[in-house]
Amino acid sequence: MLDHELIDLVGAAHSIVVLSGAGVSAESGIPTFRDALTGLWARFNPEELATPQAFSKDPRLVSRWYDERRCNVLKCRPNAGHFVLAQLEKAFQEKNRPFTLITQNVDRLHQAAGSQNVIELHGNLFTWRCVDCGKERDENGLAFDEHPPRCECGGLRRPGVVWFGEALPGEALLKAQRASGRCALFMSLGTSSVVYPAAALVDLALQNGAKVLEINPEQTPLSRRAHWSLRGKCGKTLPDLISRAGN
Ligand code: BV8
Ligand code: ZN
């Protein structure tokens, strides 16, 4: 049951920050990070494969995992949760109020749904770069025929994601921190809230007196700190909330 104070706040907030996690893409058919390891990959822990060490040790295995995820995402479409966030951004732009969408996701489905300003904290599956010369190229086609793919200079190319132990893109993180520290409402959507420094953004919002909404079918470490923690799927709960708020 949606709370009237929350509905009023979503409609009237002077600024909103959204932090999205893999749960927002779950209803598009993309396995969440914790369950991204099925079949061939079942014997690995994601944190083991998503590291520079794993790539140096077995570049072929890591390249195949990321290329398989990239090809799977290319077959997926944004869901109602993605679309309603794109609409909310548009509604806030028209009211000249700040709306910031920060994502941990690497699938670019927010952009596919029409969100204009997306802060990608963890990179994405489509921009691959050469480990030697740094040359980047977007890959939106079929699976690579060699793993890892090679650069013209002969160097190995890696996925443009942020691995565990790697720093997040400085400018993206700074923008995310600034927006989080200024917003009136912080929405944590579909994230387990355990990966840092993304999971620390909500602290900046709370310190600044913002209200916090979480939407997740499961409890997370944020649940007891949020003003509202709705047990539900983003694809259903979010559109209900946004439509009730009149955005
Ligand atoms: C760094 C790209 C330092 C790769 C990813 C404190 C400070 C700084 C670092 C650390 C710290 N403590 C620990 C660390 C180290 C580490 C970390 O956080 N480890 C965790 C595991 C404890 N952090 C790092 O290494 C970061 N780097 O800080 O480096 C540094 C500084 C300077 C110089 C050098 C180094 C880098 C972190 C980024 C790692 N890369 N992704 C890839 O995708 O393969 S993170 C990865 O996890 C994904 O991006 C994913 O987004 C992210 C978080 O997961 P979630 O999005 O939350 O997804 P998850 O599966 O966990 O949960 C899904 C949720 O959805 C669930 O709660 C589920 O209930 C819910 N759900 C399911 N269905 C639905 C739903 N919700 C709504 N609707 C539904 N339908
Ligand atoms: Zn190169």
Side-chain angles (χ1 to χ4, degrees), residues 22 27 33-34 66 69 104 162 165-166 191-192 196 216 234:
E27 291 156 87
F33 194 69
R34 304 276 167 263
Y66 279 96
R69 288 172 60 190
Q104 299 171 95
V162 178
E166 290 187 321
T191 179
S192 54
Y196 285 82
N216 194 318
C234 282

Side-chain angles (χ1 to χ4, degrees), residues 20-27 31-36 46-47 49-50 65-66 69 103-106 121-123 125 161-168 189-198 215-220 232-235:
S20 71
V24 171
S25 296
E27 291 156 87
T32 62
F33 194 69
R34 304 276 167 263
D35 53 39
E47 271 107 48
L49 275 183
W65 184 48
Y66 279 96
R69 288 172 60 190
T103 192
Q104 299 171 95
N105 298 340
V106 293
L121 287 185
H122 297 159
L125 291 169
V161 295
V162 178
W163 278 327
F164 287 98
E166 290 187 321
L168 274 58
L189 306 177
T191 179
S192 54
S193 299
V194 295
V195 172
Y196 285 82
I215 301 179
N216 194 318
E218 290 169 18
Q219 180 105 353
T220 75
K233 295 187 168 189
C234 282

Side-chain angles (χ1 to χ4, degrees), residues 118-138:
V118 183
I119 298 178
E120 289 183 335
L121 287 185
H122 297 159
N124 67 78
L125 291 169
F126 303 96
T127 309
W128 286 59
R129 72 169 178 272
C130 174
V131 296
D132 289 346
C133 73
K135 187 169 180 300
E136 285 192 346
R137 204 169 63 209
D138 266 13

